[in-house]
Amino acid sequence: MDPLELLGHPVRLRIVHVMRGRTLTTAQLCERIPDVSKATVYRHIDLLSAAGILEVADERRVRGAVERHYRLRQDPVVIDSDIVASLTADDHRRTFAVAMATLLAEFNAYLDRDPDPTADLVGYRQHAVWLSEDELVALIADLQRVLIPRLNNLPADDRDRYLLSPILFPAEESPSAGLPGTN
């Protein structure tokens, strides 16, 4: 199964989100995504493990059974630019729909915990910006410079886990597109 297909399933994507920076048993993972049946979680853990996305960090005997502790591999599967370039418009639609379904499921799980969105500094905004190609490249570099160091933060008593989902695409055609002398 290719990485896009493997990670394109909403339950598998949620498992990967939950596992980031953690070592968990399947039972502990089931507690963190209670809206998914245990059988489904076990099946997707097996798929992610067989594909090398998850690895067994530890095994223990518990009442005659083997309890496995899983973690994300340190060298995660990357959906590189060659794979992205090979996608059709329909592939992009499906992948985006899965990402949005996963985001919605994560947000619903948050709301089901009876939270305080104001105290949790929850935000969901969209901003339309006009950027040249050079400005877009600079924006992406700025975001990477700010985000990448924080992706390595490990769980700690003074840290809460936040889900950040940057989404970037042209919202409309440039006003100069199609004008004589602009192509």
Side-chain angles (χ1 to χ4, degrees):
M1 186 178 300
D2 84 0
L4 189 61
E5 184 180 349
L6 183 70
L7 295 174
H9 190 282
V11 172
R12 290 191 289 267
L13 196 54
R14 285 182 67 196
I15 289 170
V16 169
H17 281 301
V18 170
M19 294 299 295
R20 185 170 184 81
R22 294 187 175 107
T23 299
L24 300 171
T25 65
T26 307
Q28 290 169 322
L29 185 59
C30 288
E31 291 171 7
R32 285 174 168 78
I33 48 177
D35 57 309
V36 178
S37 76
K38 288 181 181 182
T40 299
V41 171
Y42 275 84
R43 185 174 70 250
H44 289 296
I45 287 284
D46 286 344
L47 285 169
L48 290 166
S49 184
I53 305 289
L54 297 179
E55 63 185 1
V56 177
D58 187 31
E59 289 183 338
R60 287 187 228 163
R61 278 229 171 278
V62 177
R63 292 184 290 268
V66 176
E67 179 183 71
R68 290 183 180 88
H69 290 76
Y70 294 93
R71 67 178 171 218
L72 288 176
R73 286 191 48 162
Q74 301 306 309
D75 54 336
V77 172
V78 175
I79 299 173
D80 62 23
S81 57
D82 290 338
I83 292 174
V84 172
S86 72
L87 298 178
T88 66
D90 283 340
D91 291 335
H92 282 286
R93 280 186 189 93
R94 280 190 298 277
T95 303
F96 189 79
V98 168
M100 291 301 95
T102 302
L103 184 60
L104 182 59
E106 292 281 356
F107 193 69
N108 282 333
Y110 163 76
L111 293 174
D112 289 344
R113 294 191 302 266
D114 194 28
D116 182 349
T118 303
D120 292 338
L121 301 176
V122 170
Y124 31 88
R125 298 166 183 82
Q126 285 186 323
H127 303 281
V129 294
W130 292 91
L131 302 169
S132 69
E133 185 172 346
D134 288 343
E135 291 168 328
L136 176 60
V137 169
L139 174 65
I140 291 169
D142 288 347
L143 290 170
Q144 289 173 334
R145 182 180 43 76
V146 169
L147 294 175
I148 288 174
R150 288 164 176 85
L151 295 177
N152 296 318
N153 285 354
L154 297 175
D157 289 341
D158 64 337
R159 286 187 174 145
D160 291 319
R161 183 174 169 264
Y162 287 85
L163 185 60
L164 178 65
S165 301
I167 301 167
L168 179 70
F169 60 90
E172 57 188 72
E173 194 170 337
S174 170
S176 62
L179 294 178
T182 60
N183 293 342

